[in-house]
Amino acid sequence: MKQRVDPAPAGRIEPVTGFAPVATPDARVLVLGSMPGVASLKQARYYAHPRNAFWPIAAQVLGFDATADYPQRLQALQAAGVALWDVLQTCERPGSLDADIRHDTLIPNDFAAFLQAHPAITRICFNGAKAATLFRRHVMPTLTATLDYQDLPSTSPAHAAASYDKKLAAWSRALKI
């Protein structure tokens, strides 16, 4: 007999789940977003929105082709010692805006286990204020590691307050270890 699945309660939406980390065991820098947006979730790729500046900035800083195939871009990041992940494992959020994340539904990723498996990480770079806030509130109190934390301007097209050049300058300093 097939079991009936009830829809989400009124006012609730289906939870979104983030991606697995992209990291080699010797990664030195971890770039954290909050939760992938709709375009990224649909394509199952980090920073897939065509106007997100992450890939052009990372490519310019680390010296690879921003238009390369996604697996090649991931390999270039990994070769540079950069890992990608998100603060949240799952949450409810209509759309892509960080401001719409329902705080009563969020579940952070397991950073204690991740950092234990990646002991060379010395710096965590937050891609935007929401990632930094979520990490500091929901993850940092559970960690014992002493790391360098870098708050960076969001590469999201929703964050137009900072110019590309300002973002590039901040990211250039942070990604080079």
Side-chain angles (χ1 to χ4, degrees):
M1 178 177 185
K2 189 173 181 180
Q3 189 175 14
R4 193 181 108 197
V5 177
D6 291 326
R12 304 293 273 203
I13 58 167
E14 289 298 314
V16 291
T17 300
F19 306 137
V22 173
T24 58
D26 60 345
R28 298 177 314 280
V29 176
L30 174 60
V31 173
L32 292 177
S34 54
M35 173 61 77
V38 172
S40 292
L41 291 166
K42 283 183 181 175
Q43 294 181 46
R45 296 178 177 200
Y46 281 100
Y47 304 108
H49 192 287
R51 290 191 349 254
N52 191 299
F54 177 79
W55 290 112
I57 287 172
Q60 194 166 346
V61 171
L62 302 173
F64 64 89
D65 181 1
T67 64
D69 289 339
Y70 183 69
Q72 292 174 309
R73 288 181 277 155
L74 292 179
Q75 285 180 328
L77 283 182
Q78 292 172 334
V82 177
L84 291 179
W85 208 14
D86 289 298
V87 176
L88 300 180
Q89 175 186 15
T90 188
C91 69
E92 288 182 15
R93 180 196 63 208
S96 293
L97 296 178
D98 284 345
D100 293 335
I101 292 172
R102 292 188 53 157
H103 293 278
D104 61 327
T105 67
L106 62 83
I107 298 171
N109 278 308
D110 184 354
F111 285 92
F114 179 84
L115 292 170
Q116 185 174 8
H118 300 86
I121 289 180
T122 59
R123 177 176 292 162
I124 294 181
C125 297
F126 300 111
N127 190 347
K130 188 65 164 195
T133 299
L134 290 168
F135 186 89
R136 286 187 172 104
R137 183 172 296 144
H138 300 283
V139 177
M140 197 178 284
T142 68
L143 298 180
T144 57
T146 302
L147 300 165
D148 174 31
Y149 297 103
Q150 299 281 318
D151 292 21
L152 299 170
S154 174
T155 59
S156 167
H159 181 65
S163 70
Y164 179 87
D165 289 340
K166 182 178 177 182
K167 291 177 184 184
L168 177 62
W171 281 87
S172 292
R173 290 186 299 275
L175 289 180
K176 292 184 178 177
I177 285 192

